[in-house]
Amino acid sequence: MSGPYFDPEYENLSIRINPPRVSVDNASCSDSTLVKVDSMNKPGILLEVVQILTDLDLIITKAYISSDGGWFMDVFHVTDQNGKKVTDSKTTEHIEKALGPKGQAADWIKSWPGKRVGLHPAGDHTAVELIGRDRPGLLSEIFAVLADLHFNISAAEVWTHKTRIACVLYVNDDTTYRAVDDHSRLSLMEEQLKNVLGGEDDDQVAHTSFSMGFTHVDRRLHQMMFADRDYEGVGATEVEYPPPLKPKIFVGRCEEKGYSVVTVKCKDRPKLMFDIVCTLTDMQYVVFHATIGSDGPYASQEYYVRHMDGCTLNMEGEKDRVIKCLEAAIQRRVCEGLSLELCAKDRVGLLSEVTRVLRENGLSVMRAGVSTVGEKAKNVFYVRDSSGNPVDMKTIEALRKEIGRTMMLNVKKSPANAKVPHEARGWAKTSFFFGSLLEKFLP
């Protein structure tokens, strides 16, 4: 005889009886908005909440987390991108809907057209994931291949770290603007992208996989680079970051409660908490308590964690791995140098043309975000000199003259970045999945 039967719906009964309670409070704090979440505890709930607040372009300045037992209680101090309270009634309404009872998230997404949720507005697309060895001009070659094969890039996100590059590209047919499921076209795309990514010097054969699912794009990029073991810097010289940029991470122990304590101190920036919580979650650590704060330009974050199996971090090797993975997660999004914001009427081949101009002017793309809203393309490129030196402003002026005739260009400066290491050897892989982004995102 089999074991006793448990109705699978029983597990969700408590959540249905006690749905999440969300409040947005603008009265209790003088310089930030308080977002309070009380809910039945469930795996991954902290990442889910932080992810939603981050997708709404909110800055988390402080947070207090407690999820011992069966209940989850959060208090987040948030501001808008300008450091002001969140007073827009539409935004506060969306916060309450997105974090509220299950089912309201669908209405929230539909009622905010054009909002970047997870990455970009919903659309019919084929999603292509690429990871491989980075080199000057690589992104230009990738975009040129897709343009030559008559694929339109409606959205993209590109990260580089320790000589590796990871991309998530949303493409469709440049005539019908529909997702492409023709296997002959996809096979041709796969073959040509492998050639571009792999090159003749790579020791291992490129890998390809297909997926029908959808994961939040920033989380997916973290997962791709984590699987690529970029935190080990295989075949690369370690980057020597200036002291203000190098994270200080410690792993201790709370003997009384049986937790491991992960402490992170580093330069503060948007999405920092998301990157840390995402990495801990994907490494299968559960956050029971946390305190998040900032002191001027620096952030201090403390997490009380256990592994999903209930164990703490006892082995030195395990502690070192957590420290390296968190350092990598923090540094993947750090792009000191210049950012180029371009806005233009969307057209096929636009990205291929822009990245070609960047390459011809001796610039390498460290990170990029591409989105299309209606007929308008909005692109952000974080660039550096291909030789690792600061970008010469004469180069930027030449770029303005060449690109400025057809699109708006805004240049922003940041402190000089550390030297970038030489190219590393490694393997590359490509994967695809199909369907509507909206359908895959909704529960």
Side-chain angles (χ1 to χ4, degrees):
M1 294 181 63
S2 61
Y5 172 76
F6 289 97
D7 187 340
E9 287 298 310
Y10 180 78
E11 185 178 351
N12 298 321
L13 180 61
S14 294
I15 295 177
R16 296 202 305 273
I17 294 175
N18 301 293
R21 296 194 297 271
V22 182
S23 66
V24 180
D25 176 5
N26 268 314
S28 299
C29 189
S30 61
D31 58 357
S32 61
T33 298
L34 270 60
V35 178
K36 303 175 184 178
V37 183
D38 292 340
S39 171
M40 294 297 299
N41 199 9
K42 64 177 182 179
I45 188 171
L46 175 59
L47 177 58
E48 181 181 324
V49 172
V50 174
Q51 181 175 293
I52 289 172
L53 293 175
T54 301
D55 285 341
L56 289 169
D57 294 330
L58 301 177
I59 307 296
I60 300 172
T61 59
K62 295 180 183 178
Y64 305 96
I65 314 298
S66 180
S67 61
D68 254 347
W71 202 256
F72 173 82
M73 293 179 288
D74 274 9
V75 178
F76 295 93
H77 293 240
V78 303
T79 68
D80 62 18
Q81 293 287 317
N82 298 316
K84 306 294 184 182
K85 284 187 177 184
V86 183
T87 56
D88 177 57
S89 58
K90 181 179 178 182
T91 303
T92 56
E93 180 184 347
H94 286 312
I95 293 172
E96 293 170 346
K97 284 186 176 180
L99 297 176
K102 188 176 180 180
Q104 293 193 29
D107 297 331
W108 164 61
I109 294 171
K110 292 176 183 177
S111 65
W112 201 336
K115 185 64 182 170
R116 289 164 56 105
V117 178
L119 174 63
H120 300 282
D124 205 8
H125 67 273
T126 302
V128 185
E129 297 177 357
L130 309 171
I131 189 163
R133 183 188 63 184
D134 190 26
R135 54 182 168 78
L138 176 60
L139 194 60
S140 174
E141 294 179 34
I142 291 172
F143 289 158
V145 164
L146 295 173
D148 289 343
L149 294 176
H150 301 287
F151 286 95
N152 174 59
I153 302 171
S154 61
E157 200 77 13
V158 181
W159 289 4
T160 64
H161 182 240
K162 288 191 176 180
T163 75
R164 307 299 290 169
I165 184 171
C167 316
V168 178
L169 313 174
Y170 296 90
V171 304
N172 49 38
D173 182 83
D174 65 3
T175 303
T176 64
Y177 293 96
R178 301 296 300 274
V180 176
D181 55 7
D182 182 339
H183 288 285
S184 62
R185 286 188 69 184
L186 294 176
S187 296
L188 181 60
M189 179 209 292
E190 174 193 349
E191 180 182 354
Q192 294 199 20
L193 289 175
K194 277 184 180 179
N195 292 335
V196 169
L197 280 169
E200 297 179 357
D201 296 331
D202 272 329
D203 298 325
Q204 293 176 282
V205 178
H207 294 271
T208 304
S209 61
F210 296 84
S211 171
M212 298 297 290
F214 173 74
T215 304
H216 185 277
V217 69
D218 283 3
R219 184 177 185 186
R220 185 66 192 127
L221 287 165
H222 277 303
Q223 290 173 340
M224 291 164 65
M225 287 210 154
F226 175 74
D228 193 46
R229 303 174 78 89
D230 70 319
Y231 55 89
E232 293 183 346
V234 177
T237 304
E238 280 292 326
V239 181
E240 290 297 331
Y241 286 91
L245 295 182
K246 187 172 179 60
K248 296 179 181 179
I249 302 172
F250 309 94
V251 178
R253 182 171 175 79
C254 176
E255 297 289 350
E256 289 184 19
K257 299 293 184 179
Y259 297 123
S260 290
V261 184
V262 179
T263 304
V264 180
K265 296 182 179 180
C266 64
K267 187 177 179 181
D268 201 7
R269 60 164 175 78
K271 302 188 179 182
L272 177 63
M273 185 179 181
F274 169 82
D275 293 336
I276 293 172
V277 172
C278 177
T279 301
L280 289 172
T281 302
D282 285 335
M283 294 183 74
Q284 299 191 336
Y285 291 99
V286 179
V287 177
F288 290 87
H289 302 279
T291 303
I292 312 300
S294 58
D295 182 13
Y298 299 100
S300 178
Q301 304 192 4
E302 192 171 64
Y303 298 89
Y304 291 76
V305 305
R306 294 191 194 115
H307 196 271
M308 287 185 66
D309 60 11
C311 296
T312 55
L313 286 77
N314 298 320
M315 305 297 292
E316 289 301 319
E318 187 180 11
K319 293 179 183 178
D320 290 343
R321 184 168 179 265
V322 168
I323 290 171
K324 285 184 178 180
C325 290
L326 289 176
E327 282 182 349
I330 293 168
Q331 291 169 352
R332 286 170 195 148
R333 211 191 287 267
V334 173
C335 291
E336 306 292 325
L338 286 179
S339 66
L340 308 179
E341 300 177 354
L342 299 98
C343 184
K345 184 176 181 181
D346 189 35
R347 56 183 170 82
V348 176
L350 174 64
L351 289 172
S352 176
E353 177 186 329
V354 170
T355 50
R356 174 186 58 78
V357 172
L358 295 178
R359 181 189 64 193
E360 290 174 351
N361 281 273
L363 299 178
S364 291
V365 178
M366 301 167 63
R367 188 157 65 87
V370 175
S371 62
T372 306
V373 179
E375 295 184 349
K376 184 177 291 185
K378 296 182 178 180
N379 309 320
V380 180
F381 296 94
Y382 297 84
V383 300
R384 61 173 174 83
D385 185 274
S386 296
S387 60
N389 298 319
V391 178
D392 189 337
M393 292 312 296
K394 292 181 180 179
T395 301
I396 298 301
E397 289 308 314
L399 201 63
R400 283 186 188 276
K401 291 179 181 178
E402 188 165 357
I403 292 182
R405 296 192 299 268
T406 56
M407 64 187 72
M408 295 175 60
L409 172 63
N410 185 30
V411 181
K412 293 184 178 180
K413 286 186 179 181
S414 297
N417 192 15
K419 291 183 179 180
V420 179
H422 298 292
E423 295 177 10
R425 304 165 71 87
W427 56 275
K429 64 183 178 183
T430 310
S431 63
F432 309 85
F433 58 84
F434 316 101
S436 167
L437 175 61
L438 183 58
E439 293 173 353
K440 298 297 180 287
F441 180 81
L442 297 181

